[in-house]
Amino acid sequence: MEKSLVLIKPDAVKKNLIGKIISKYEDNNLKVVALRMEKITEEFASRHYKEHIGKDFYAPLLKFITSGPLCALVLEGENAIERIREINGSTDPEKAKEGTIRKSFSTNKTENCVHASDSLESAEREIKLWFGNNIK
């Protein structure tokens, strides 16, 4: 069973979409194994998004992700990483498939409701960053 980190970003929290988004994952046989809600600091956000340092969207991304509370969760299931990314849809909601979270709820490429780990290595690093060694 794979695990992946998912962030329900501040735009989705503000729109009261937490339950609808989690339901999309649960309806696809993914299990929530950890969950927390908080407003993160810029320092923490920079550790999470370290691979994007220096990119043109980095500063706006940090400003957005720290703008309000978010919900961090760990999902578990077969092929979880790939399945979650399919459920989320393209980063650009204009290009996302119908029925995906981003097509249904997102505003733009930054305010796109969710983040998910993109590989086993990223999932391991991100889960440890967000939840320490408490998730096995």
Side-chain angles (χ1 to χ4, degrees):
M1 290 288 187
E2 283 182 358
K3 290 182 178 67
S4 179
L5 179 83
V6 169
L7 300 179
I8 301 175
K9 295 179 179 180
D11 58 324
V13 172
K14 188 175 181 179
K15 295 176 191 174
N16 294 320
L17 296 172
I18 295 170
K20 287 180 182 177
I21 290 171
I22 291 173
S23 290
K24 289 235 184 208
Y25 300 128
E26 290 179 329
D27 290 347
N28 282 278
N29 296 316
L30 293 160
K31 182 179 179 181
V32 176
V33 296
L35 179 86
R36 64 191 263 198
M37 188 169 173
E38 67 180 285
K39 186 173 186 295
I40 62 171
T41 65
E42 190 170 313
E43 187 275 330
F44 187 88
S46 68
R47 285 193 286 149
H48 175 78
Y49 286 116
K50 70 181 184 178
E51 69 275 11
H52 299 307
I53 292 172
K55 295 180 182 173
D56 61 345
F57 60 85
Y58 180 72
L61 177 60
L62 285 192
K63 184 176 180 177
F64 165 66
I65 203 71
T66 59
S67 67
L70 56 73
C71 186
L73 55 150
V74 177
L75 296 175
E76 179 181 75
E78 284 190 42
N79 301 315
I81 293 167
E82 181 181 333
R83 289 175 49 222
I84 291 164
R85 294 181 69 78
E86 287 174 14
I87 294 163
N88 288 352
S90 173
T91 302
D92 183 346
E94 296 287 321
K95 297 177 182 172
K97 291 180 183 175
E98 288 298 328
T100 63
I101 291 169
R102 289 177 173 146
K103 184 69 169 185
S104 299
F105 305 124
S106 295
T107 304
N108 56 50
K109 285 191 225 179
T110 301
E111 295 180 27
N112 62 7
C113 294
V114 287
H115 161 86
S117 304
D118 63 3
S119 67
L120 288 170
E121 295 77 22
S122 293
E124 188 175 302
R125 180 184 72 80
E126 292 174 353
I127 290 168
K128 188 172 183 177
L129 176 65
W130 285 86
F131 292 93
N133 292 318
N134 298 324
I135 309 298
K136 302 292 179 212

